[in-house]
Amino acid sequence: MSLFKPKRYERPGGSGVGPRKQRWLPRMLRGKPWRRLQREIYQRVYKYPNRNMLAICQPKSGSTWLSNMMQDIPGVFRWLPESMNRQTLKAPGFHDLVLEEMRRVPAGYTVSKTHTSPTPGNLKVLRELGRAYVVLIRDPRDQIVSWAYFVKNREENAFYEDTKGMDTEEAVTFFIERLYDEMLAWAVDWKTAIEGPHNDLGLLVRYEDMKADCFGVMKRVFAHYGVGLSDEKVRAIVDANTFEKTTGRTAGQGDAKSFFRKGVSGDWANHFTDAQRRRVEELDRGRMAVLGYGESEKRKAKSENQDE
């Protein structure tokens, strides 16, 4: 069990997300010196093989859910290089990995949630670091819908001014044109990199699989980082981070103004127009099948045709 662990960090540039943990430590004992001491203690108590655990995800892919569960590993804190905290989504080389910066991790054990792209330069840094990482992907159609709702409530977001005044349908169209191709390329390139020869550092995880079997997926994630947790502890972490515990709502009960809007998969089908469906099919070029998406829809259509 982690002693003296602070409340969960707020999301940079926005309001805090997730349940707030009580801080009983007197204010005079808080701050960087105390956190440094905590981390030094944990580094001696726990024997995790990776001082820094990288969670590489696209925005609105379930990244906060994944990183929150990783932060609940005993003795683990959140850390992100300062340069990444200053970047916006439109910045060139958004969340690129800088070797020397990534080597200067603070004392103890940390989780870094990044939106790093699978460029040759970033892959080279990961190889030189020799650091285990997990890549989280999600059906990009659901990501598009999440973006359309999310940006409306985030004036600090890089796309807020671009979509200001748009209704949801218009925002969905905007993000299909602006981000859909990029989302597919990002996910396919990461999958290709992870499945490449001699790559035992990366693990690919799908948001939809987390929804279906979060316990099983997180056991794989923790094992990949070399974190030996009992089934009881894994279940406790998963249970503490359910959509219901985090929001006070049941999955599917939407709140358009919440960081955690709905907590379901396949919601894109409730939003896409026929024209939007045709457009994402044009942009697909076989990549959804590579990622394992679309098969269930094809099976359903085939079944319905046979019934007729």
Side-chain angles (χ1 to χ4, degrees):
M1 177 179 180
S2 294
L3 301 176
F4 320 124
K5 200 166 182 180
K7 66 181 181 180
R8 186 163 289 160
Y9 284 78
E10 291 189 353
R11 185 179 63 84
S15 61
V17 295
R20 310 300 290 178
K21 298 183 179 180
Q22 184 64 36
R23 299 183 74 175
W24 62 268
L25 196 68
R27 185 175 296 276
M28 63 182 294
L29 294 179
R30 299 176 194 170
K32 290 184 178 180
W34 174 247
R35 288 199 297 271
R36 173 61 186 251
L37 177 59
Q38 286 177 283
R39 294 177 180 189
E40 292 283 3
I41 292 172
Y42 290 142
Q43 194 169 328
R44 286 158 177 76
V45 171
Y46 301 103
K47 304 298 181 184
Y48 304 140
N50 292 281
R51 288 269 315 285
N52 176 244
M53 291 170 271
L54 282 166
I56 302 173
C57 329
Q58 287 182 313
K60 309 312 297 174
S61 66
S63 57
T64 299
W65 183 26
L66 174 63
S67 64
N68 281 352
M69 287 189 282
M70 290 170 60
Q71 286 177 58
D72 282 348
I73 297 171
V76 171
F77 291 80
R78 176 189 181 275
W79 172 73
L80 194 65
E82 186 60 32
S83 66
M84 291 188 184
N85 274 317
R86 295 193 300 266
Q87 293 176 339
T88 68
L89 287 161
K90 292 183 179 180
F94 179 58
H95 277 201
D96 277 352
L97 302 175
V98 178
L99 182 60
E100 291 308 312
E101 191 174 39
M102 295 305 298
R103 280 177 172 164
R104 294 195 298 269
V105 296
Y109 300 99
T110 57
V111 169
S112 297
K113 181 186 77 173
T114 78
H115 304 307
T116 304
S117 296
T119 63
N122 287 326
L123 294 174
K124 180 180 179 182
V125 169
L126 287 169
R127 287 193 297 271
E128 293 194 30
L129 288 171
R131 191 171 300 172
Y133 63 93
V134 167
V135 173
L136 175 65
I137 64 172
R138 184 185 185 186
D139 187 326
R141 296 167 296 187
D142 278 332
Q143 285 181 257
I144 290 293
V145 173
S146 290
W147 267 105
Y149 280 97
F150 174 73
V151 174
K152 290 181 180 180
N153 305 311
R154 301 286 169 173
E155 294 187 18
E156 76 279 3
N157 189 278
F159 292 105
Y160 179 81
E161 290 297 328
D162 296 316
T163 57
K164 189 176 181 180
M166 291 184 182
D167 61 25
T168 302
E169 182 179 325
E170 291 170 328
V172 167
T173 296
F174 172 85
F175 284 117
I176 287 173
E177 297 300 333
R178 178 63 178 80
L179 294 179
Y180 193 77
D181 185 72
E182 180 181 324
M183 287 175 174
L184 276 172
W186 188 97
V188 169
D189 289 350
W190 268 121
K191 185 174 188 293
T192 301
I194 288 173
E195 293 176 351
H198 314 300
N199 186 352
D200 58 354
L201 296 174
L203 173 69
L204 189 75
V205 171
R206 299 197 322 169
Y207 172 86
E208 292 76 15
D209 296 331
M210 287 175 62
K211 293 294 296 181
D213 180 17
C214 191
F215 170 79
V217 170
M218 292 312 296
K219 271 189 68 73
R220 288 173 54 216
V221 168
F222 295 145
H224 182 69
Y225 288 118
V227 176
L229 298 179
S230 67
D231 285 0
E232 181 182 13
K233 181 59 180 175
V234 175
R235 290 191 190 281
I237 290 174
V238 168
D239 290 345
N241 288 277
T242 62
F243 185 85
E244 291 77 8
K245 291 279 182 66
T246 301
T247 67
R249 292 177 279 121
T250 58
Q253 182 181 357
D255 180 352
K257 294 184 178 180
S258 173
F259 183 86
F260 299 101
R261 184 180 62 89
K262 205 168 185 180
V264 296
S265 300
D267 192 43
W268 68 270
N270 299 319
H271 291 81
F272 276 25
T273 64
D274 288 341
Q276 290 166 344
R277 289 171 187 257
R278 288 193 297 270
R279 182 56 177 152
V280 297
E281 288 173 1
E282 290 172 0
L283 293 168
D284 181 4
R285 300 194 298 278
R287 291 177 292 181
M288 287 288 282
V290 171
L291 298 173
Y293 294 115
E295 288 89 343
S296 60
E297 296 161 38
K298 292 176 183 177
R299 286 196 298 269
K300 181 179 178 181
K302 183 177 180 181
S303 175
E304 289 173 348
N305 290 335
Q306 288 174 343
D307 290 341
E308 293 172 359

